Amino acid sequence: MSTPTPIPHRTQVAIIGAGPSGLLLGQLLHKAGIDNVVLEARSAEYVLGRIRAGVLEQVCVDLLDEAGVGERMHREGLVHGGIELAFAGARHRIDLQTLTGGKTVMVYGQTEVTRDLMDARAASGAPIVYEAADVQLHDFDSATPRVSYTHEGVRHELACDFIAGCDGFHGVCRASIPKERIQHFERVYPFGWLGILADVPPVADELIYSNHARGFALCSMRSKTRVRHYVQCSLQDKVEDWSDARFWEELKSRLDPEAAEHMVTGPSIEKSIAPLRSFVAEPMRFGQLFLAGDAAHIVPPTGAKGLNLAAADVRYLSRAFMEFYADKRSAGIDDYSRKALRRVWKAERFSWYLTSLLHKFPAGAGDTGEVGHRMQTAELDYLVHSTAAMTSLAENYVGLPFEELIERSKHPGRPGYSKSIPQKQKPL
Ligand code: RFL
Ligand code: PHB
């Protein structure tokens, strides 16, 4: 993709990274009349080639609509009202929709979200630079921050009011912060996910998450004719170790007999291995620099929360910038890190919980090995027979409402009322 418009030397918000966070933030700000420039290290084709998320919460769907890019998602995406949990040879449906008073999730690939956002960016004429090399941040503690980068062999400088670090886990923004000003919290899991994409019909109407003595498996989809499946694998495994035949055989062995029987196999069109980690950087603001999405936090993909959390950050940040430019109020900006982190840690907890419940943990410390597997089976058995436990899983899976604590605080007589929450607190 070529660069659409001349790149200015000054903008209001410099956005580093053209993943979903950066593109969505750029689009929302552009619609609100706030100038921004997106700088992306890779080509558009490279970004679109990364196969990642598949499940969008309502919060994410609503933001994509607000950004004006929801049309194709509503036409082609699949609305799911439940998920299935497989263990001990059988499958159990969690009715997300009934348990959450009508909420659903949208199955629509991150690649398509990114393509829709890139197309909207190109149509708007707002500046975006692909293949921006050696991006460096300057003076983000001052009122006059700058970003420098090299494009087509020429070094450029971009002056701005704010920098949005939307450049993912390996980006330059978090790495630019002095060590003493940032705290990292991390857990690396002792396994990875091997994923394949294939043009065959899905195994079932909804996603199947499977706990099996051989390891975790997930049957997901991108459409009625394209599947995305995963199996837990060793961190030592290489993609070349996994022929298509070996993958399908392993996946079948980890599902209940009915699902295994209904599975249609076919050649993979993509195959990759991803490590699993939980990671949070605190805080998420440093002067005029704000981190959003994977630049600030990583969740293991089991809860399907990564992209959704990125969208939640963008919701807070876009509103904070709009408030700043429209009303000259900095309350949203000042409260961004606290509000975002409060939601981040809930998603971290849920993703860690589902990962712990569904994966095979090598024997060793804690509830691992055979003891661990029996504990998981007991918990799954409890879960699928307890409305309270299923409701908790369902409300986290579809995405916690931004106003959840406010509702409780309005009803002091109800269980869960917390005296420490001020009555006039704004929605999160
Ligand atoms: P991204 O997508 O990593 O984009 C960051 C962009 O920044 C660019 N960049 C730079 N640009 C300029 N200068 C630099 N120095 C730069 N360094 C990096 C990169 O090239 C890139 O284009 O982060 P962002 O935008 O915050 O988006 C986050 C999501 O991509 C991520 O959280 C999700 O994919 C996680 N995830 C899932 N999330 C969900 O909500 N639902 C799911 O179902 C789900 N499934 C998944 C997933 C992630 C997976 N993997 C591979 C980690 C399944 C998998 C397997
Ligand atoms: C996916 O379709 O890629 C996907 C779905 C659900 C998850 C993780 C990944 O929890």
Side-chain angles (χ1 to χ4, degrees):
M1 209 176 281
S2 60
T3 305
T5 36
I7 307 304
H9 297 293
R10 178 169 168 86
T11 191
Q12 289 173 307
V13 183
I15 300 175
I16 317 302
S21 309
L23 289 168
L24 182 55
L25 179 64
Q27 198 58 17
L28 289 166
L29 296 184
H30 178 75
K31 286 203 88 175
I34 300 171
D35 289 342
N36 62 90
V37 174
V38 177
L39 301 177
E40 164 61 48
R42 304 288 193 161
S43 68
E45 293 72 25
Y46 183 96
V47 173
L48 289 171
R50 292 189 294 230
I51 309 297
R52 289 186 173 175
V55 178
L56 312 181
E57 295 174 2
Q58 193 60 47
V59 171
C60 189
V61 168
D62 291 346
L63 262 194
L64 291 167
D65 282 335
E66 191 181 318
V69 298
E71 197 264 331
R72 193 164 69 98
M73 169 182 68
H74 288 291
R75 199 159 22 89
E76 296 179 11
L78 305 171
V79 175
H80 282 194
I83 54 169
E84 296 201 275
L85 295 181
F87 64 96
R91 256 161 48 216
H92 306 262
R93 181 167 192 264
I94 307 287
D95 187 338
L96 301 174
Q97 197 162 8
T98 305
L99 289 162
T100 60
K103 290 193 184 154
T104 55
V105 291
M106 175 74 82
V107 175
Y108 188 65
Q110 178 168 331
T111 308
E112 305 314 317
V113 171
T114 309
R115 197 189 306 280
D116 294 342
L117 284 163
M118 281 181 174
D119 288 351
R121 182 89 193 175
S124 73
I128 180 162
V129 184
Y130 291 102
E131 302 185 57
D134 191 20
V135 169
Q136 286 178 26
L137 315 189
H138 310 277
D139 303 334
F140 54 80
D141 271 327
S142 78
T144 53
R146 289 167 298 122
V147 179
S148 60
Y149 62 97
T150 301
H151 183 56
E152 294 176 346
V154 181
R155 194 81 191 149
H156 298 267
E157 201 167 272
L158 179 65
C160 55
D161 299 332
F162 300 104
I163 302 172
C166 301
D167 52 347
F169 185 65
H170 300 288
V172 65
C173 292
R174 195 181 70 250
S176 304
I177 297 151
K179 279 195 174 45
E180 63 278 8
R181 293 177 62 185
I182 191 164
Q183 240 188 318
H184 294 165
F185 302 87
E186 183 169 43
R187 164 177 294 193
V188 178
Y189 296 86
F191 40 72
W193 279 19
L194 168 68
I196 70 157
L197 204 59
D199 280 332
V200 293
V203 179
D205 291 338
E206 295 171 338
L207 272 60
I208 304 174
Y209 289 82
S210 179
N211 168 297
H212 193 273
R214 293 181 66 84
F216 169 76
L218 168 60
C219 296
S220 182
M221 62 191 81
R222 291 291 175 270
S223 69
K224 292 263 163 74
T225 56
R226 178 169 287 187
V227 295
R228 179 72 169 158
H229 294 324
Y230 299 94
V231 292
Q232 175 184 348
C233 66
S234 155
L235 281 174
Q236 277 71 51
D237 283 0
K238 305 259 172 301
V239 170
E240 307 78 70
D241 302 335
W242 285 86
S243 65
D244 287 358
R246 180 178 171 206
F247 180 88
W248 289 112
E249 197 183 320
E250 188 59 39
L251 179 60
K252 268 188 188 173
S253 76
R254 297 184 189 189
L255 297 176
D256 60 287
E258 202 230 316
E261 196 185 315
H262 279 96
M263 180 179 291
V264 182
T265 64
S268 64
I269 49 179
E270 196 268 354
K271 199 183 281 166
S272 48
I273 292 180
L276 268 66
R277 79 173 81 226
S278 300
F279 173 87
V280 181
E282 291 187 6
M284 289 170 62
R285 179 201 179 171
F286 305 86
Q288 302 297 85
L289 166 65
F290 296 80
L291 301 180
D294 279 15
H297 40 74
I298 296 286
V299 285
T302 325
K305 288 283 163 261
L307 172 56
N308 293 302
L309 261 192
D313 291 350
V314 166
R315 185 179 185 272
Y316 291 131
L317 195 54
S318 57
R319 277 153 177 66
F321 287 148
M322 287 174 205
E323 195 180 279
F324 176 83
Y325 285 112
D327 309 331
K328 292 275 162 279
R329 278 170 22 94
S330 61
I333 283 172
D334 293 338
D335 216 16
Y336 168 72
S337 180
R338 186 196 65 82
K339 283 203 293 196
L341 282 166
R342 194 172 179 192
R343 192 174 176 90
V344 165
W345 276 109
K346 292 198 188 80
E348 292 283 349
R349 192 229 35 106
F350 177 65
S351 306
W352 159 82
Y353 161 72
L354 264 195
T355 304
S356 311
L357 181 64
L358 294 172
H359 289 74
K360 178 179 180 176
F361 282 77
D367 281 339
T368 56
E370 267 310 305
V371 175
H373 188 61
R374 277 171 170 70
M375 293 287 189
Q376 289 175 335
T377 310
E379 176 151 9
L380 283 161
D381 191 19
Y382 161 67
L383 176 61
V384 300
H385 293 103
S386 158
T387 305
M390 280 192 289
T391 304
S392 169
L393 185 138
E395 67 186 14
N396 278 279
Y397 193 87
V398 300
L400 295 173
F402 282 86
E403 288 81 9
E404 84 263 39
L405 295 166
I406 312 321
E407 279 310 306
R408 287 209 195 127
S409 72
K410 282 188 199 145
H411 299 99
R414 273 176 32 183
Y417 168 67
S418 162
K419 279 189 182 155
S420 64
I421 298 166
Q423 295 288 313
K424 283 200 176 155
Q425 187 181 348
K426 283 220 179 112
L428 284 177

